[in-house]
Amino acid sequence: MNKPLRRIAIFCGLLVLALLIRDNYIQYVQADSLRTDTLNRRVAIERYATPRGDIIVDGNPITGAAKSTKDGINDFEYKRTYKDGAMWAPVTGYASQAFGATQLESIDDGILTGNDDRLFFRNTLDMLTGKKKQGGNVVTTLNAAAQKAAYQGLLKQGKGAVAAIDPKTGAILALASTPSYDPSTFAGNSTSVDGKAWTKLQKKNDPNDPLLNRALRETYPPGSTFKVVTAAAALQNGLYSSADQKTDSPLPYTLPDTRTELKNEGSIPCKDATMRIALRYSCNTVFGKIGADLGRDKMLSEAEKFGFNAQQFTPVRSNASVFPKSMDKPQTALSSIGQFETAATPLQMAMVASAVANDGTLMKPYMVDKLQAPNLDVISQTEPQKLSEPLSKDNAQILQSMMETVVSEGTGTNAKINENGVTVGGKTGTAQHGVANSANPYAWFISYAKLADGSSPVAVAVVVEDESANRDDISGGGLAAPIAKSVMKAVIDSKK
Amino acid sequence: MSSSTNTPTHHTSTIGSIGTPSRRNTELALLVFAVVIPVFAYANVGLAINDSVPPGLLSYGLGLGLLAGVGHLAVRKFAPYADPLLLPLATLLNGLGLVMIWRLDQSKLLRSLPNFAPAAPRQLMYTALGIGLLVAVLIFLKDHRVLQRYTYISMFGALILLLLPLVPGLGANIYGAKIWISIPGLGTLQPGEFAKIILAVFFAGYLMVKRDALALASRRFMGLYLPRGRDLGPILVVWFVSILILVFETDLGTSLLFFGMFVIMLYVATERTSWIVFGLLMSAVGAVGVASFEPHIQTRVQAWLNPLHEYKLSQAGTHDGILHSEQAMQALWAFGSGGTLGTGWGQGHSELIRFAANSDFILASFGEELGLAGIMAILVLYGLIAERGIRTALAARDPFGKLLAVGLSGGFALQVFVVAGGVMGLIPLTGMTMPFLAYGGSSVIANWALMGILIRISDTARRPAPAPAPSPDAEMTQVVRP
């Protein structure tokens, strides 16, 4: 019986050997992919095991970390907290243990958790010296005063959004959206507290959709504010060479190839008006005809130079604004006054204003100034980048003087800043939408401020989803312009 | 069959009374390690979880030491020539298991589960009962050959034990497998673990009697030796019973274990390879046949082939009449997160495997916290137990002892393979537990009894033959020199 016994001994040895080989396979060969599998909850546990780094505005963190409440099974150590969470939500996004992360919290997650490869060397050093792993910081370009002015202005009006840009660099100074949400309320993992807060914010439970970042992700018909783009196209293509040259515009103006008459709001002096007058009174007939005269291709090319039809990454993605690519002549005319299918994000319209203010050069918008290691060493610094040049310097200055007329004596007087040397240029807009224009219109205002030395520190776009429907351009001036004014003033004051 | 390899002066096959040394002191020294290592591990867990040495360290150390000491004294007194490795190996595994179970008791996640009760104190009690049973075996089973007398009683006993979970009102269906019986007031019992030992006794007794018939009285057919029908009968019964278990108790592991154990013993008894071929054929036919219509087995196979898919189904709460389990994937993640060296005692997240983290999947918990290195050490410990058991079979002088020892140790090795292979995703998951490591009363107690029998056989095997009684009137043998 001993021969089979020895064979059984070998067989048992082989069984153990098979287990050893399999174990080496899963714990050595496959170990890394299993360990970092995002479905492996340990990844999330590790992410929340140390406090996240901060998102910083003006040198002060707008985020923080708190020990999670250990109700029941929560195995995450720290949760995110936010200061003025609702005001900053369009910038930060959220980082929730239960619902993941969005926007800056998600894009720079590696830096914030300290897991980024660029922190590897430091982490290794810390491990050797026994220090706990720390997250790095994200330093934003935002201006706290401007953000506050934007957010509080919007709160008074209900729904809307503000985007403000430094025209010289493209740095985003304010990015507000209302109604907003406080990301702190669902940063944890408790089904009773965080889960409920989350459910309440969902669009199906709250028709106002507070989770929507209106400044970057919602496209509105831009209405008359788009006339700035049309005026730029007219100047760039040599259709008219100055602000005070009479245009060839009949009143009433019949859309080409149709019998439809394009109307103006109220009786305003639009017949053969100069572009300055037309912009000041917001003449649909003049700019509709300019668009039709230039034609689809020239309009499209100018709009795309301003950033239309492309997503912008700030580094948070902003939806592409729309200038239609295929349309006939009358549709081109309508599109050129911001109607038909034209749609723009607040960020896009702020870019239009900033390109004009920056003498025709459009800078790439960005909102992360630099990324810092836990010890505040700079890991990466954003350099301002030119995106395009929609206007020549001369034409930009012509357009500036037209926009300044709008504020000094036109529809945008509410944005006037009565300070020495400060000039403001702007354009109002009221965008009708909905079936047969039945829904409440959107009140727009885009503007920039110029200091005595000719430099322009801020361009801003404001949209208010108008509840008190007052169907003329005054509502852009009445509802949106004061908000733009206070944002610009906040930026100017903080420069002093 | 002699084991006298120790002294080169023996040239004859006669074993002298000064033969094998007892090795009891070796065992004692090894036992010290087997107690000290878990005590250190226990302190380690406490430091990792609570930053302090656990308050129960002294009593725990004393408790484990006392149990090991009792086992050692019983072996010293009642089985002085026993193999010195078996007791320390089992003690070490049991001690490590206790530490891991205690560590998982500290987990907040597991504490929040509905039926939570700390498992470590009960496991310690089961261990005490198990070692008590070991001592009882050593005291009352003076000679393992006594068990031969109970061959057919054992068969009936094992069959009854195995079929008990099917009795309405007695069987308990826990997580889809009906392998438990609930005894009011006492809790649940897994009769399969005890049946394993009793069946080995039956097989050994039966095969010892029938082995010549099975080996020789056969017809040659296509190069294989086919046995006679009347000898084949009991084999078919065993095959049929394992299929029954598979079908009605949906317990793949137990049926595989019984059948495998039987094939091993049959092979050893008859020395005919054809039995292995038969065995493999029959198990293949049985397994494929059952798997083709039993949804529980099919899910197990699905989960084995694609654990991630099964995990997602379970997360999504898919209700298609089948209980989807996320555990297979959770176990793989635990192993992977442990990596080569592990996270360290108390610093992993094995509780994510939920309620089975300390029982069926305890190996994954070890894999996470002790890493590849720790698992390899544990597997080697199991391998050593199996090989020492087979060594005992080689050394045993009677065929019954040989068969019983190889049956028990081969079954032990098979169980380790089936469980560890299932947890690691090498083969479909079965639902048995790692002997000694895992939480579970039946398992710990039965395996300590198994150790008792192996120790008893090894004592008999290694015991020096009594010196021939001196005969005063024996004449000197005349030696004729050429």
Side-chain angles (χ1 to χ4, degrees):
Chain A
M1 281 202 211
N2 284 355
K3 197 170 156 196
L5 273 178
R6 289 181 209 283
R7 287 191 181 147
I8 296 296
I10 292 169
F11 170 69
C12 291
L14 288 177
L15 288 185
V16 174
L17 185 67
L19 291 177
L20 289 175
I21 291 171
R22 172 68 184 174
D23 193 29
N24 273 275
Y25 180 67
I26 55 175
Q27 292 210 273
Y28 186 79
V29 180
Q30 283 195 319
D32 271 342
S33 65
L34 287 169
R35 188 172 52 79
T36 54
D37 189 339
T38 44
L39 286 172
N40 185 346
R41 193 177 168 82
R42 290 165 187 81
V43 174
I45 290 176
E46 203 203 339
R47 157 178 300 172
Y48 294 106
T50 49
R52 279 169 85 80
D54 282 316
I55 295 176
I56 292 177
V57 172
D58 285 348
N60 304 311
I62 55 169
T63 55
K67 287 255 181 190
S68 301
T69 43
K70 294 264 174 181
D71 59 337
I73 60 167
N74 193 2
D75 40 13
F76 298 143
E77 193 83 12
Y78 289 95
K79 73 171 184 179
R80 193 59 144 168
T81 57
Y82 297 85
K83 293 167 193 153
D84 290 322
M87 181 169 101
W88 291 111
V91 178
T92 56
Y94 54 78
S96 161
Q97 294 171 349
F99 307 107
T102 57
Q103 302 196 23
L104 282 188
E105 292 277 28
S106 158
I107 290 164
D108 289 319
D109 189 62
I111 295 291
L112 291 167
T113 54
N115 290 333
D116 193 279
D117 284 343
R118 289 171 281 181
L119 296 172
F120 175 77
F121 181 65
R122 193 176 319 276
N123 285 343
T124 313
L125 272 185
D126 283 355
M127 197 175 74
L128 292 177
T129 53
K131 269 198 275 182
K132 264 203 151 183
K133 194 173 79 181
Q134 275 184 296
N137 296 328
V138 174
V139 181
T140 67
T141 59
L142 280 108
N143 179 315
Q147 178 79 3
K148 199 169 170 190
Y151 182 66
Q152 289 184 340
L154 285 174
L155 273 186
K156 270 182 229 147
Q157 303 294 353
K159 273 196 270 185
V162 171
I165 298 178
D166 179 346
K168 206 167 188 60
T169 57
I172 292 177
L173 301 172
L175 206 61
S177 168
T178 54
S180 189
Y181 61 97
D182 184 355
S184 299
T185 55
F186 57 91
N189 198 20
S190 139
T191 43
S192 57
V193 181
D194 304 288
K196 270 196 189 137
W198 172 259
T199 317
K200 239 199 284 181
L201 290 171
Q202 298 307 300
K203 195 175 181 180
K204 57 176 186 283
N205 301 320
D206 185 345
N208 287 331
D209 198 7
L211 286 172
L212 175 67
N213 183 348
R214 292 176 160 76
L216 298 181
R217 299 280 166 85
E218 179 76 314
T219 54
Y220 299 91
S224 305
T225 56
F226 192 79
K227 289 169 185 162
V228 174
V229 177
T230 309
L235 291 168
Q236 278 302 94
N237 291 293
L239 185 65
Y240 301 107
S241 56
S242 90
D244 300 309
Q245 181 185 352
K246 287 229 169 205
T247 61
D248 172 23
S249 356
L251 190 75
Y253 170 62
T254 310
L255 289 174
D257 309 337
T258 68
R259 290 182 193 168
T260 315
E261 280 187 357
L262 189 62
K263 289 195 172 75
N264 291 315
E265 293 283 341
S267 58
I268 43 180
C270 292
K271 185 169 173 18
D272 296 330
T274 62
M275 282 209 290
R276 185 192 302 278
I277 299 291
L279 200 70
R280 176 181 155 188
Y281 288 104
S282 200
C283 293
N284 290 340
T285 49
V286 175
F287 288 102
K289 181 159 186 298
I290 289 177
D293 290 350
L294 286 172
R296 182 191 63 199
D297 293 344
K298 284 178 181 165
M299 280 305 297
L300 180 63
S301 128
E302 184 67 14
E304 288 186 348
K305 276 188 199 158
F306 274 106
F308 278 81
N309 293 337
Q311 294 182 339
Q312 309 293 335
F313 293 87
T314 69
V316 174
R317 181 182 63 83
S318 124
N319 279 1
S321 302
V322 182
F323 189 77
K325 286 183 173 173
S326 60
M327 48 191 174
D328 55 24
K329 274 204 151 190
Q331 287 170 341
T332 309
L334 285 173
S335 295
S336 302
I337 57 168
Q339 294 181 8
F340 187 52
E341 286 169 358
T342 311
T345 60
L347 177 75
Q348 172 62 62
M349 294 317 292
M351 286 161 70
V352 169
S354 83
V356 175
N358 194 33
D359 288 345
T361 305
L362 176 59
M363 303 299 288
K364 184 177 172 352
Y366 67 98
M367 63 173 159
V368 174
D369 182 31
K370 55 193 169 193
L371 302 176
Q372 287 178 335
N375 66 349
L376 307 186
D377 279 359
V378 175
I379 298 169
S380 88
Q381 169 92 44
T382 312
E383 295 298 334
Q385 277 176 11
K386 192 170 128 178
L387 195 65
S388 66
E389 189 144 358
L391 281 162
S392 70
K393 193 175 174 190
D394 291 344
N395 286 339
Q397 281 168 354
I398 294 171
L399 197 47
Q400 281 172 20
S401 81
M402 286 159 60
M403 287 174 74
E404 281 154 23
T405 310
V406 171
V407 173
S408 59
E409 49 199 274
T411 52
T413 45
N414 279 339
K416 209 183 283 178
I417 297 179
N418 297 316
E419 262 181 64
N420 269 347
V422 179
T423 34
V424 175
K427 179 74 193 87
T428 57
T430 304
Q432 291 155 355
H433 68 117
V435 180
N437 296 339
S438 58
N440 288 331
Y442 299 123
W444 275 95
F445 192 74
I446 64 170
S447 68
Y448 63 88
K450 222 158 57 175
L451 301 181
D453 61 2
S455 71
S456 168
V458 57
V460 62
V462 178
V463 62
V464 174
E465 296 185 24
D466 191 352
E467 300 295 333
S468 56
N470 175 8
R471 290 181 166 231
D472 65 40
D473 273 341
I474 305 297
S475 67
L479 297 176
I483 300 175
K485 176 186 170 179
S486 60
V487 172
M488 291 186 293
K489 202 161 168 350
V491 174
I492 292 168
D493 288 348
S494 63
K495 293 272 172 192
K496 283 176 185 166
Chain B
M1 278 182 214
S2 135
S3 63
S4 62
T5 51
N6 50 331
T7 35
T9 50
H10 285 246
H11 297 296
T12 65
S13 60
T14 314
I15 297 165
S17 53
I18 47 158
T20 326
S22 78
R23 299 279 187 210
R24 288 284 66 78
N25 293 335
T26 313
E27 180 182 86
L28 185 61
L30 290 174
L31 267 179
V32 170
F33 278 107
V35 172
V36 165
I37 292 172
V39 168
F40 270 117
Y42 184 56
N44 192 339
V45 173
L47 285 170
I49 295 182
N50 303 321
D51 283 333
S52 66
V53 175
L57 186 67
L58 192 66
S59 54
Y60 173 82
L62 285 177
L64 193 63
L66 200 68
L67 287 175
V70 167
H72 173 70
L73 287 179
V75 172
R76 197 174 268 268
K77 174 93 172 68
F78 298 105
Y81 293 94
D83 189 297
L85 253 64
L86 290 172
L87 186 65
L89 286 170
T91 309
L92 178 56
L93 286 169
N94 202 152
L96 290 176
L98 272 167
V99 173
M100 183 55 90
I101 291 165
W102 183 79
R103 176 255 175 279
L104 288 167
D105 276 350
Q106 313 304 309
S107 144
K108 289 200 174 63
L109 179 67
L110 295 182
R111 279 173 178 273
S112 73
L113 291 180
N115 299 315
F116 176 82
R122 279 183 292 160
Q123 180 78 348
L124 193 59
M125 186 190 77
Y126 296 141
T127 305
L129 283 176
I131 290 184
L133 196 55
L134 170 105
V135 172
V137 167
L138 293 181
I139 293 175
F140 294 108
L141 188 65
K142 292 282 181 223
D143 188 336
H144 61 266
R145 279 167 294 193
V146 171
L147 294 174
Q148 272 181 82
R149 292 180 206 155
Y150 305 110
T151 301
Y152 289 94
I153 296 177
S154 310
M155 183 179 83
F156 287 113
L159 284 182
I160 290 168
L161 274 181
L162 281 177
L163 299 177
L164 271 182
L166 298 178
V167 177
L170 201 56
N173 183 343
I174 303 179
Y175 306 124
K178 297 174 224 92
I179 51 176
W180 282 269
I181 55 171
S182 57
I183 304 164
L186 277 177
T188 55
L189 186 84
Q190 220 177 322
E193 291 283 352
F194 295 97
K196 176 173 75 181
I197 301 173
I198 302 176
L199 265 182
V201 170
F202 158 63
F203 290 159
Y206 173 78
L207 291 172
M208 196 196 69
V209 176
K210 294 280 183 167
R211 65 192 186 108
D212 289 337
L214 285 168
L216 303 172
S218 54
R219 284 157 299 174
R220 225 180 125 87
F221 177 72
M222 286 175 67
L224 289 174
Y225 291 95
L226 288 181
R228 294 179 304 188
R230 56 183 144 152
D231 300 320
L232 202 61
I235 295 163
L236 289 175
V237 167
V238 171
W239 177 73
F240 191 66
V241 169
S242 9
I243 297 284
L244 272 188
I245 298 171
L246 190 55
V247 173
F248 291 105
E249 300 178 16
T250 55
D251 184 7
L252 190 63
T254 309
S255 45
L256 210 116
L257 170 62
F258 291 159
F259 202 69
M261 190 165 84
F262 185 58
V263 169
I264 287 176
M265 292 172 78
L266 202 54
Y267 170 62
V268 171
T270 59
E271 306 193 21
R272 291 230 180 261
T273 324
S274 50
W275 284 111
I276 295 187
V277 178
F278 278 134
L280 290 180
L281 275 179
M282 284 166 82
S283 53
V285 167
V288 171
V290 172
S292 62
F293 66 86
E294 180 63 57
H296 183 81
I297 308 289
Q298 282 165 0
T299 16
R300 287 270 163 101
V301 174
Q302 284 302 321
W304 167 56
L305 292 175
N306 195 349
L308 194 59
H309 180 66
E310 195 73 1
Y311 170 82
K312 286 178 181 157
L313 285 182
S314 134
Q315 289 301 92
T318 310
H319 293 293
D320 46 7
I322 294 165
L323 189 69
H324 291 288
S325 163
E326 60 174 73
Q327 291 168 341
M329 198 61 227
Q330 287 286 11
L332 283 180
W333 280 328
F335 277 115
S337 304
T340 314
L341 293 175
T343 58
W345 280 105
Q347 295 174 54
H349 297 285
S350 315
E351 68 273 9
L352 293 175
I353 310 172
R354 300 294 173 108
F355 56 84
N358 65 7
S359 52
D360 297 31
F361 285 88
I362 197 163
L363 204 63
S365 303
F366 275 99
E368 180 170 8
E369 304 209 329
L370 300 189
L372 177 62
I375 293 287
M376 293 215 288
I378 286 171
L379 289 176
V380 168
L381 292 181
Y382 279 118
L384 276 175
I385 291 185
E387 298 296 351
R388 290 314 289 186
I390 298 173
R391 177 79 185 80
T392 297
L394 272 170
R397 293 168 198 143
D398 62 304
F400 177 77
K402 272 180 179 302
L403 283 172
L404 186 55
V406 77
L408 291 177
S409 34
F412 189 86
L414 267 181
Q415 181 167 0
V416 168
F417 176 77
V418 167
V419 179
V423 173
M424 292 180 186
L426 184 61
I427 55 171
L429 195 64
T430 53
M432 279 190 303
T433 54
M434 287 306 274
F436 297 115
L437 274 191
Y439 171 71
S442 319
S443 169
V444 168
I445 295 171
N447 281 306
W448 275 112
L450 186 154
M451 277 303 131
I453 297 172
L454 273 185
I455 287 175
R456 165 55 67 219
I457 301 173
S458 78
D459 172 57
T460 316
R462 293 161 54 95
R463 188 187 295 272
S471 168
D473 48 38
E475 289 178 28
M476 290 289 286
T477 307
Q478 301 236 330
V479 178
V480 180
R481 291 173 190 279

